[in-house]
């Protein structure tokens, strides 16, 4: 398996963490990368404008995907605005396990 780190490109989010995905090394294609990334991130593949290998390289074809190495960071650049996204990132206070009192502690 090839392990990659992916996220949705969105500079407006305070926290925009990566998730790790696994791809079968026998199926390293652009289409499979798009399918798995979208499934894991809850994004419609039709809304993905491009896949960017950070910091500044656009992936375009199967050969680009075949050159990826473990733990490389990728971003899905979406074609739709924030208002039209099919998913919603919950506010920190809505996330399970959030503790307002603990968040105010200083070290």
């Amino acid at each position: 398996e090839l392990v990659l780190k992916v996220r949705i490109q969105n500079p407006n989010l305070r926290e925009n963490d990566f998730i790790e995905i696994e791809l079968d090394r026998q199926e390293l294609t652009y289409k499979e990368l798009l399918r798995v990334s979208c499934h894991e991130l809850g994004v419609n593949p039709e809304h993905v404008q491009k896949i960017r290998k950070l910091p500044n390289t656009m992936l375009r074809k199967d050969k680009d995907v075949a050159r990826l190495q473990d733990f490389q960071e990728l971003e899905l650049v979406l074609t739709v605005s924030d208002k039209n996204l099919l998913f919603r990132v919950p506010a920190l206070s809505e996330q399970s396990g959030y503790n307002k009192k603990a968040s105010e502690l200083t070290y």
Side-chain angles (χ1 to χ4, degrees):
E1 289 184 336
L2 174 67
V3 179
L4 300 170
K5 296 166 58 175
V6 296
R7 70 178 179 189
I8 296 167
Q9 185 268 330
N10 188 343
N12 297 325
L13 290 178
R14 249 186 46 222
E15 290 188 30
N16 193 15
D17 294 331
F18 289 93
I19 64 166
E20 291 182 354
I21 63 167
E22 296 86 23
L23 292 177
D24 186 339
R25 289 188 186 268
Q26 303 304 316
E27 296 182 37
L28 286 182
T29 64
Y30 184 89
K31 184 177 180 180
E32 184 65 7
L33 172 61
L34 179 64
R35 185 192 70 76
V36 172
S37 298
C38 288
H39 175 75
E40 292 289 331
L41 292 168
V43 174
N44 184 335
E46 294 176 4
H47 292 160
V48 176
Q49 178 182 357
K50 61 184 171 183
I51 300 176
R52 178 185 297 134
K53 180 176 78 171
L54 294 178
N56 58 4
T57 304
M58 183 172 65
L59 298 179
R60 302 172 296 139
K61 55 191 175 191
D62 293 348
K63 283 187 176 184
D64 297 341
V65 176
R67 286 190 290 267
L68 293 174
Q69 297 178 359
D70 278 330
F71 301 104
Q72 285 197 287
E73 297 178 345
L74 307 175
E75 283 185 334
L76 300 184
V77 179
L78 304 183
T79 58
V80 294
S81 68
D82 291 347
K83 296 175 188 172
N84 297 327
L85 290 179
L86 299 179
F87 63 92
R88 185 180 72 84
V89 177
L92 186 59
S93 59
E94 296 172 348
Q95 293 177 8
S96 62
Y98 175 74
N99 182 335
K100 182 170 177 17
K101 203 169 200 173
S103 71
E104 294 171 352
L105 294 174
T106 56
Y107 294 95

